[in-house]
Amino acid sequence: MRTDAADVLDSAIPVLAKDRAASMQVIAKRAGISRATLVRLFPTRQHLVQAMAEKILDDCDQALTRAEADTAAMEQVFAALVAEYPPFAQLWNLVYVEPDVLGVPEASKQADAIFDRTVKLFKRGQKAGLLRKDMPATWLASTFCGLAETAWELTLEGDMGARQAPDFITAILLHGAAA
């Protein structure tokens, strides 16, 4: 039986991505623990949701901090960021697009800051010549988050391998869907 809070959060995030109204019982079952253990770790659903939002935001922050500090060629920086796509997918799915749905509106400001940093990184990619300059960096960053969300969902559903996802995100973002 898993009783580590981080493992439980990792199990709960996909459950709430699919069903925002999932009960504590459903979340506990999917995490492979009893409801009592879940409540011991997170006394209320709001505590659980808050911890999830914090984890997602922290994971995005760490990925961006590594990317922002990387002095390698932009292709490598971008590849490293794309390899860490799941938190951006989760940010887009659970926090940024509909923060009030989960009852964590204060996470919206943090999500906005994370997204602004993502846009700046995409501007850096444009300046380096990796990304198109004729499209707003905001659109490119939004596209990255949307592609990340789609890849994450397809991976969760078993329609895409976890190792395939970064390559697919990169291919579509950098080269489009044309053959």
Side-chain angles (χ1 to χ4, degrees):
M1 185 175 281
R2 298 165 46 185
T3 58
D4 178 71
D7 286 341
V8 172
L9 288 175
D10 287 340
S11 296
I13 289 169
V15 173
L16 286 176
K18 293 279 185 208
D19 178 8
R20 295 207 185 346
S23 68
M24 292 288 274
Q25 182 66 39
V26 168
I27 293 167
K29 183 177 180 181
R30 292 295 266 306
I33 59 175
S34 69
R35 186 177 185 288
T37 300
L38 180 62
V39 170
R40 182 178 51 76
L41 294 169
F42 305 101
T44 67
R45 189 174 189 281
Q46 186 59 33
H47 284 99
L48 173 65
V49 170
Q50 182 66 40
M52 286 173 37
E54 288 171 7
K55 180 186 183 323
I56 291 166
L57 289 163
D58 186 52
D59 288 350
C60 286
D61 177 64
Q62 289 178 28
L64 283 169
T65 298
R66 285 188 291 276
E68 291 163 344
D70 197 335
T71 58
M74 196 59 207
E75 290 85 357
Q76 292 171 306
V77 172
F78 185 74
L81 181 68
V82 171
E84 297 188 68
Y85 77 92
F88 293 92
Q90 297 161 1
L91 177 77
W92 200 251
N93 184 297
L94 290 167
V95 181
Y96 189 72
V97 176
E98 299 179 83
D100 294 335
V101 171
L102 293 179
V104 189
E106 61 274 7
S108 184
K109 286 183 186 179
Q110 291 174 289
D112 287 344
I114 292 288
F115 187 71
D116 289 345
R117 288 173 61 199
T118 306
V119 170
K120 286 180 185 174
L121 194 60
F122 275 75
K123 284 181 182 177
R124 185 172 143 198
Q126 288 175 310
K127 187 176 180 180
L130 177 65
L131 302 171
R132 295 173 59 151
K133 294 179 183 177
D134 63 331
M135 295 185 171
T138 302
W139 189 92
L140 294 171
S142 295
T143 300
F144 163 66
C145 290
L147 289 170
E149 180 185 12
T150 300
W152 181 60
E153 288 179 4
L154 290 173
T155 300
L156 290 175
E157 294 169 6
D159 294 327
M160 175 182 285
R163 285 188 252 157
Q164 289 177 310
D167 292 339
F168 286 13
I169 293 168
T170 300
I172 295 296
L173 194 58
L174 296 182
H175 308 293

